[in-house]
Structures are given as structure tokens and as C-alpha cells.
Amino acid sequence: MFKLIFPFTSLFVCSVGYSQISGTVKDQTGAPIENALVCHSKNPSVWTKTDDDGKFSLPSGNSNTALRVGALRYETIKSQTIGSGTITMATDALIEKEGDVLHVGFDNLRPGNTYTKNELKDDFRIAYSKGFYEKNDESTDRASADYNESIDPGGVSLKVRFPKGQFVTDNSGIDTRIPLSGTFNTNYYQSTDLYLSYWVKFSENFDFDKCGGKLPSLGGTSINSPSRPDDKNKNAWKGRIMWRNGGSIQFYMEVPGKDNWSPSNEERFWGSRMDNENTADICLMEYQNYLNKPGWHNIELHYRFETPGKDDGIFEGWVDGKNHDIMKASVFNNYRLQGSRREDITINRLLISAFLGGSSKPEKYVPNEDTYAWFDEFRVSETRINEYNKYTGTLSNPNFESTNNTNTIYPIPSRDGVFYLKKESSWEVYDLMGKKLISGTGKTIQLEGYSQGMYFVRLDQKEAQRVILE
């Protein structure tokens, strides 16, 4: 089986201070690494980049100062002194990770914040792309690289704009298909059982009272059909999810011959219903508000096609680590029909779709002002990804318990260093290395004076929660 493995590494935004420290960053062969970011481990706001000879100079520190170094396709060094004057970086271990099919974090140095068709091709390592837009694939006005927002400290994310008064793909957000093969012409990679994970964050002015819009998902075609970048292929399918009223999440399928799967609207929503009205209008239904909360959210989807003749198909999803079994043994069953061209239908596309709409009634979808969403850390894997825990402390620090914590910390991010709790609790604040910084009791946590970045807050000795100081 042909696999595409895409490395990922964090780029750290790092600031300035007192004396000077200089050195060189090289790979394990001794070759210089250009554009590596170097910063203080304890103060990531002190930073610089290496030149084309791998050399750097920080206006602060000495030979005993612990440094953090990040570069695309290399393992991030979290803490190392300059020593002899050279820092050696190892190739990113993620390229050896079993089960990975695709991993893109957007942490690539690029000129300004543009995001063109060629940059999309470079990030996703594909030979062909129609770009992010249906009509104008060179347009960059609705997709950009954001150096100030990322799920990982100092990283880069993809920023998507939903223009005021606009909806559907021609005018709102982004929409493209990424083949899991390097080209649309030859589907080298085929699967019937895959996981997709990514992170999403919505702007503070995002209007969740509107009817909703599309979110990234997986799709594909039959390998007996011509592989095409558009939807004219009669055996193309999409396993979509959407955000809906209030920030709820809904799943649905776009398949040829829709009569083979037609569940009710209620069956397609994640979680329990929250409104009291007995309405059949999908735009008015309100279910659990997963996405209408500040900060980043992790979505993971699992698609498994049936074995022809067996009822073993499945679709399930996780939002912020919580599982939702959806339509077991009814979504993909009876779709890969024996004796038909659909018998060997496969999963072979990542659908990066994020746009308002799905209807011809603009008043139900269009925003009253420009709004935004950020996306980060797209991963496709043959095994469960479970990336949510990576950023909540349960994997980065095994001392954190995996116990549910219903207390709410807000705002995230905080710009003045003050965080509030829904109820009085004992709390502890840890840095990214798992070192406890401060602790206390009450409904307020004060982090004024600490460096910008990500921290973990542990409440009442339960699972750590991620917070961001801007």
C-alpha cells in the first residue's frame, strides 16, 4: 500500500532581552538548517530565525541559557544550551509514525500571510489542485496563514474569512478536495477505514444563530470510475459534517442514489436536543452547543465502510475528546453493493470545506459582518488519533488525571492575564514542560507578568485544561 507521510513540527514565536548569544543550527549530516526559529525555553517571546548558513544571534542570554528550536520537518528541541556553539536537530519522528497517511500543520515559513494555490499544493504535497475556490482558484482573499493563532505555541494556522452578506462556495469560505494520492489522476492510496482529526476555532463575533455551514470531512470515489477533481463522478461520495444553530454538529452523506440512506434530521445531530420546540425546521433545531465556546475545538471522525454483504459499517466522531456513536450499521451499509461499481468504493479524498450555506435561502445563512474560523493540524490516519489529549495535558504530563472536569475557565484566550472560574476551586498552573508555576484557591487565576503562550490549569486535582495568554 502506498502511503503519504507528511512531517510536522512546531515553529515557536519567540522576544528580546540583555546580552547576546549566537550559534548554528544543523541537521544530523552537518548541513545548516535555514529559517529555524530559536527562542528562550522559559521566555518564547525572545526569538530569532537562522540565516541560510544556519546561524542565529539572540540579543539576550549566554551559553547556559536553555533554548527551544523549531524547524519544518525536524523534531522540535524543547530545551538545550548552546554548548559548543552548534545545535543539531533530528528528522521529525512523525514521518516514521505507523498509521499516518497525511499530517499538515501549516507551520511553514511563507512570504507574509498569503495562501495561494501553489502554497496549498506545497503544504499537502499534491501535484494538482484547483485551489480553495470554485470560480477563482488563484484568489487569496478568503484564506490566509495566521502567525498569531495556532493550537500549538508559536505555530501557524489557516485563517478562513466568511464575508459579510455572502454564502455558498463561490462567495464564502473555502472548498477544495485533497486527494490522498498526490494527484487526482491516479488514486494510489485507497482505504475503507480511516480517521480524520483537525482543530477549529471561531471568531468572537461568529453568528451561531444562523442555519450553519460545512466543516472538513472525508470522501472519495469508486476505483472503477475515472478519478476526477469535481463532483461529476457518479460514484463520488462525501461524508459531511456541519455546524448548526447554536454551535451544534450534524452529520450527513452526499451519495449517488440518496434513497439508500435517508435518516431524519434528528438522527443526524450529535448529542441531545436542547430546545423545547417541536419544530421540523432544521435551521431552528438546537442541540448540544459544542462549538459555540471560546477557544480551539478538536474534531475527529472515523469512517469505516461495510464489508460487502455484511452489516459492519460505522461512522463515529469525537468533539473535544467526547465520543459520539452515530448511525452504526446504517450509514455505510448497503452502499458498497455487491455486483455494482460501488462494490469497491473507497475513501481517497480530504474535503477541506468551510463555508456558510447549503440552501438557496440566504437570509438563513449570511453573516451581518465579516467573521472568521481558524483551522490547524489536519491529520488522516489508519488508527485512532486522539489528538485532543495532546493539548490538554493528559499525554504531555502523565501525572494529570483523565477525570472529567465540568468547571469552566474563561476567557480563552486572556489578554490581561486574568482567568475566571465558574465555581470556587483549588487550582494549579503548569507550563508546557509540566512544571508547576503557581497555585491557589478561589474563582480567579492571575497570570499577569507571565509570557504569552499556552499553559495548563488543573482544577481540584482533576484533568488539566488548556488556557492561552495573549
Side-chain angles (χ1 to χ4, degrees), residues 22 26 61 64 96 150 218 221 273 285 306 339 345 387 389 412 414 432-433 435 465:
S22 301
K26 297 182 177 181
N64 295 319
E96 304 295 335
S150 178
L218 294 179
T221 66
R273 190 160 182 171
M285 294 178 180
E306 63 173 317
I345 193 89
E387 192 156 272
N389 284 335
I412 299 177
S414 170
L432 289 173
M433 307 300 292
K435 177 183 177 181
Q465 300 180 59

mmCIF file of all heavy atoms in Angstrom, residues 22 26 61 64 96 150 218 221 273 285 306 339 345 387 389 412 414 432-433 435 465:
data_model
loop_
_atom_site.group_PDB
_atom_site.id
_atom_site.type_symbol
_atom_site.label_atom_id
_atom_site.label_comp_id
_atom_site.label_asym_id
_atom_site.label_seq_id
_atom_site.Cartn_x
_atom_site.Cartn_y
_atom_site.Cartn_z
ATOM 1 N N SER A 22 24.949 33.509 20.364
ATOM 2 C CA SER A 22 24.997 33.167 18.946
ATOM 3 C C SER A 22 25.336 31.688 18.775
ATOM 4 O O SER A 22 25.909 31.062 19.662
ATOM 5 C CB SER A 22 26.049 34.015 18.220
ATOM 6 O OG SER A 22 25.758 35.392 18.342
ATOM 7 N N LYS A 26 22.164 22.857 12.788
ATOM 8 C CA LYS A 26 22.459 21.935 11.690
ATOM 9 C C LYS A 26 21.624 20.669 11.818
ATOM 10 O O LYS A 26 21.076 20.385 12.881
ATOM 11 C CB LYS A 26 23.946 21.574 11.684
ATOM 12 C CG LYS A 26 24.876 22.759 11.449
ATOM 13 C CD LYS A 26 26.334 22.313 11.406
ATOM 14 C CE LYS A 26 27.259 23.482 11.099
ATOM 15 N NZ LYS A 26 28.679 23.069 11.019
ATOM 16 N N GLY A 61 20.845 36.527 26.598
ATOM 17 C CA GLY A 61 21.217 35.206 27.071
ATOM 18 C C GLY A 61 22.711 34.962 27.041
ATOM 19 O O GLY A 61 23.504 35.824 26.668
ATOM 20 N N ASN A 64 24.760 29.335 28.856
ATOM 21 C CA ASN A 64 23.993 28.473 29.750
ATOM 22 C C ASN A 64 22.485 28.656 29.608
ATOM 23 O O ASN A 64 21.708 27.997 30.312
ATOM 24 C CB ASN A 64 24.389 28.738 31.206
ATOM 25 C CG ASN A 64 25.830 28.347 31.479
ATOM 26 O OD1 ASN A 64 26.294 27.311 30.999
ATOM 27 N ND2 ASN A 64 26.538 29.179 32.232
ATOM 28 N N GLU A 96 7.906 8.719 10.649
ATOM 29 C CA GLU A 96 8.035 7.280 10.840
ATOM 30 C C GLU A 96 6.826 6.690 11.559
ATOM 31 O O GLU A 96 6.786 5.502 11.818
ATOM 32 C CB GLU A 96 9.297 6.975 11.654
ATOM 33 C CG GLU A 96 10.584 7.535 11.069
ATOM 34 C CD GLU A 96 10.924 6.913 9.736
ATOM 35 O OE1 GLU A 96 10.494 5.784 9.492
ATOM 36 O OE2 GLU A 96 11.624 7.578 8.943
ATOM 37 N N SER A 150 -2.801 29.605 16.717
ATOM 38 C CA SER A 150 -2.437 28.225 16.439
ATOM 39 C C SER A 150 -2.730 27.387 17.667
ATOM 40 O O SER A 150 -2.710 27.896 18.785
ATOM 41 C CB SER A 150 -0.953 28.116 16.081
ATOM 42 O OG SER A 150 -0.598 26.763 15.851
ATOM 43 N N LEU A 218 -14.154 13.636 5.087
ATOM 44 C CA LEU A 218 -13.542 12.753 4.095
ATOM 45 C C LEU A 218 -14.553 12.357 3.028
ATOM 46 O O LEU A 218 -15.760 12.420 3.250
ATOM 47 C CB LEU A 218 -12.983 11.493 4.761
ATOM 48 C CG LEU A 218 -11.805 11.677 5.722
ATOM 49 C CD1 LEU A 218 -11.391 10.335 6.321
ATOM 50 C CD2 LEU A 218 -10.620 12.338 5.039
ATOM 51 N N THR A 221 -14.243 8.118 -4.196
ATOM 52 C CA THR A 221 -14.882 7.619 -5.405
ATOM 53 C C THR A 221 -14.706 6.110 -5.466
ATOM 54 O O THR A 221 -14.011 5.505 -4.661
ATOM 55 C CB THR A 221 -14.238 8.206 -6.672
ATOM 56 O OG1 THR A 221 -12.900 7.715 -6.771
ATOM 57 C CG2 THR A 221 -14.239 9.719 -6.645
ATOM 58 N N ARG A 273 -30.968 17.025 22.325
ATOM 59 C CA ARG A 273 -31.657 18.237 21.900
ATOM 60 C C ARG A 273 -31.826 19.188 23.073
ATOM 61 O O ARG A 273 -32.088 18.772 24.197
ATOM 62 C CB ARG A 273 -33.011 17.878 21.299
ATOM 63 C CG ARG A 273 -33.689 19.055 20.607
ATOM 64 C CD ARG A 273 -34.750 18.601 19.637
ATOM 65 N NE ARG A 273 -35.361 19.721 18.949
ATOM 66 C CZ ARG A 273 -36.194 19.609 17.923
ATOM 67 N NH1 ARG A 273 -36.524 18.400 17.491
ATOM 68 N NH2 ARG A 273 -36.702 20.672 17.337
ATOM 69 N N MET A 285 -33.660 23.956 14.888
ATOM 70 C CA MET A 285 -33.341 22.926 15.878
ATOM 71 C C MET A 285 -32.059 23.288 16.612
ATOM 72 O O MET A 285 -31.097 23.767 16.015
ATOM 73 C CB MET A 285 -33.158 21.577 15.189
ATOM 74 C CG MET A 285 -34.403 21.034 14.563
ATOM 75 S SD MET A 285 -34.057 19.463 13.717
ATOM 76 C CE MET A 285 -35.695 19.076 13.091
ATOM 77 N N GLU A 306 -18.717 -0.803 5.054
ATOM 78 C CA GLU A 306 -19.089 -2.195 5.269
ATOM 79 C C GLU A 306 -18.246 -3.120 4.402
ATOM 80 O O GLU A 306 -17.779 -2.743 3.325
ATOM 81 C CB GLU A 306 -20.555 -2.405 4.900
ATOM 82 C CG GLU A 306 -20.806 -2.141 3.408
ATOM 83 C CD GLU A 306 -22.208 -2.494 2.965
ATOM 84 O OE1 GLU A 306 -22.695 -3.542 3.379
ATOM 85 O OE2 GLU A 306 -22.786 -1.723 2.201
ATOM 86 N N GLY A 339 -21.686 -6.641 -6.813
ATOM 87 C CA GLY A 339 -22.083 -6.734 -8.210
ATOM 88 C C GLY A 339 -22.259 -5.389 -8.884
ATOM 89 O O GLY A 339 -22.624 -5.333 -10.056
ATOM 90 N N ILE A 345 -16.031 1.022 -3.725
ATOM 91 C CA ILE A 345 -15.930 2.431 -3.355
ATOM 92 C C ILE A 345 -14.897 2.576 -2.232
ATOM 93 O O ILE A 345 -14.755 1.697 -1.381
ATOM 94 C CB ILE A 345 -17.291 2.984 -2.890
ATOM 95 C CG1 ILE A 345 -17.265 4.512 -2.824
ATOM 96 C CG2 ILE A 345 -17.717 2.417 -1.561
ATOM 97 C CD1 ILE A 345 -17.636 5.177 -4.088
ATOM 98 N N GLU A 387 -5.954 13.328 19.282
ATOM 99 C CA GLU A 387 -5.035 14.441 19.466
ATOM 100 C C GLU A 387 -5.502 15.427 20.529
ATOM 101 O O GLU A 387 -4.710 16.230 21.036
ATOM 102 C CB GLU A 387 -4.828 15.179 18.144
ATOM 103 C CG GLU A 387 -3.681 16.154 18.176
ATOM 104 C CD GLU A 387 -3.114 16.429 16.807
ATOM 105 O OE1 GLU A 387 -2.219 15.674 16.383
ATOM 106 O OE2 GLU A 387 -3.566 17.380 16.163
ATOM 107 N N ASN A 389 -6.139 15.030 23.616
ATOM 108 C CA ASN A 389 -5.399 14.881 24.864
ATOM 109 C C ASN A 389 -3.984 15.444 24.787
ATOM 110 O O ASN A 389 -3.408 15.813 25.802
ATOM 111 C CB ASN A 389 -5.330 13.409 25.267
ATOM 112 C CG ASN A 389 -6.645 12.923 25.834
ATOM 113 O OD1 ASN A 389 -7.428 13.719 26.340
ATOM 114 N ND2 ASN A 389 -6.899 11.639 25.742
ATOM 115 N N ILE A 412 -10.813 32.409 27.145
ATOM 116 C CA ILE A 412 -9.683 31.779 26.482
ATOM 117 C C ILE A 412 -9.691 32.241 25.023
ATOM 118 O O ILE A 412 -10.637 31.922 24.293
ATOM 119 C CB ILE A 412 -9.761 30.242 26.542
ATOM 120 C CG1 ILE A 412 -9.745 29.768 28.003
ATOM 121 C CG2 ILE A 412 -8.589 29.629 25.795
ATOM 122 C CD1 ILE A 412 -9.895 28.277 28.156
ATOM 123 N N SER A 414 -6.900 34.882 27.203
ATOM 124 C CA SER A 414 -6.966 36.074 28.050
ATOM 125 C C SER A 414 -5.886 37.048 27.604
ATOM 126 O O SER A 414 -4.733 36.660 27.419
ATOM 127 C CB SER A 414 -6.770 35.709 29.516
ATOM 128 O OG SER A 414 -6.605 36.881 30.304
ATOM 129 N N LEU A 432 4.396 24.391 29.723
ATOM 130 C CA LEU A 432 4.348 23.325 28.728
ATOM 131 C C LEU A 432 5.272 22.156 29.067
ATOM 132 O O LEU A 432 5.095 21.051 28.548
ATOM 133 C CB LEU A 432 4.722 23.876 27.345
ATOM 134 C CG LEU A 432 3.684 24.781 26.695
ATOM 135 C CD1 LEU A 432 4.250 25.383 25.427
ATOM 136 C CD2 LEU A 432 2.410 24.025 26.410
ATOM 137 N N MET A 433 6.247 22.398 29.946
ATOM 138 C CA MET A 433 7.167 21.332 30.328
ATOM 139 C C MET A 433 6.647 20.522 31.508
ATOM 140 O O MET A 433 7.281 19.590 31.985
ATOM 141 C CB MET A 433 8.543 21.928 30.690
ATOM 142 C CG MET A 433 9.112 22.839 29.605
ATOM 143 S SD MET A 433 9.355 21.999 28.030
ATOM 144 C CE MET A 433 10.668 20.897 28.471
ATOM 145 N N LYS A 435 6.011 21.866 34.502
ATOM 146 C CA LYS A 435 6.491 22.460 35.757
ATOM 147 C C LYS A 435 5.388 23.313 36.377
ATOM 148 O O LYS A 435 4.788 24.160 35.707
ATOM 149 C CB LYS A 435 7.725 23.312 35.495
ATOM 150 C CG LYS A 435 8.249 24.025 36.737
ATOM 151 C CD LYS A 435 9.431 24.914 36.382
ATOM 152 C CE LYS A 435 9.918 25.682 37.607
ATOM 153 N NZ LYS A 435 11.057 26.584 37.274
ATOM 154 N N GLN A 465 -6.700 21.604 32.096
ATOM 155 C CA GLN A 465 -7.348 22.266 30.976
ATOM 156 C C GLN A 465 -6.370 23.281 30.370
ATOM 157 O O GLN A 465 -5.621 23.937 31.085
ATOM 158 C CB GLN A 465 -8.618 22.981 31.442
ATOM 159 C CG GLN A 465 -9.644 22.023 32.059
ATOM 160 C CD GLN A 465 -10.888 22.757 32.511
ATOM 161 O OE1 GLN A 465 -11.568 23.419 31.708
ATOM 162 N NE2 GLN A 465 -11.192 22.679 33.797
#
